[in-house]
Amino acid sequence: QVQLVESGGGLVQPGGSLRLSCAASGSIFTIYGMDWYRQAPGKQRELVAHITSGGSTNYADSVKGRFTISRDNAKNTAYLQMNSLKPEDTAVYYCNAAVVTIPSMKEFSFWGQGTQVTVSS
C-alpha cells in the first residue's frame, strides 16, 4: 500500500510563514498529480494547490501570490510554502496524490492524515 505523511503544521502569527511537507512511501511505481487541500471547521474541504509530475501548478484564488507548491520526485515528496499567512488560512491541511501502485500498475488516490495550521495572534 501507499502512505502519505504530512508534517510542518503549527501555530503561527498573522503575516508569518510555514512550510508543509507530504512524503509518500510504499508500493509506488510513479506519482502523477499531487495536491494540497484544506478544511476549516464547519466548511467543506477545498483545493488549495495542485502540481503535476512535470511541475505545472495552479492555485486557489485565495492563496495566489502567497502559497507555493513544489515537489521532489526523487523523494516522492510535495511541499507547500505558505507566506503572509492570514487567520482565514486556519484549517487542517491534507495532501492528496494520484499514485500508480505496484504490482497493480493502476492509479489510485491516496490521502494523508492532515496537519493543523493555526494562524492567530
Side-chain angles (χ1 to χ4, degrees), residues 2 4 24 28-35 50-51 53 71 95-101 106-111:
V2 173
L4 300 183
I28 298 169
F29 177 72
T30 193
I31 301 176
Y32 292 142
M34 299 186 78
D35 305 313
H50 169 78
I51 186 166
S53 57
R71 63 191 285 174
C95 179
N96 175 263
V99 181
V100 176
T101 63
K106 295 180 179 179
E107 180 182 333
F108 297 94
S109 177
F110 293 93
W111 290 89

Side-chain angles (χ1 to χ4, degrees), residues 39-68:
Q39 187 166 19
K43 294 188 176 181
Q44 289 188 329
R45 190 172 296 190
E46 62 172 350
L47 178 64
V48 174
H50 169 78
I51 186 166
T52 68
S53 57
S56 297
T57 60
N58 55 61
Y59 299 90
D61 288 343
S62 58
V63 306
K64 280 181 182 177
R66 300 189 298 122
F67 290 11
T68 302

Side-chain angles (χ1 to χ4, degrees), residues 84-97:
S84 303
L85 282 160
K86 305 175 181 180
E88 51 264 43
D89 295 317
T90 296
V92 178
Y93 284 71
Y94 296 92
C95 179
N96 175 263

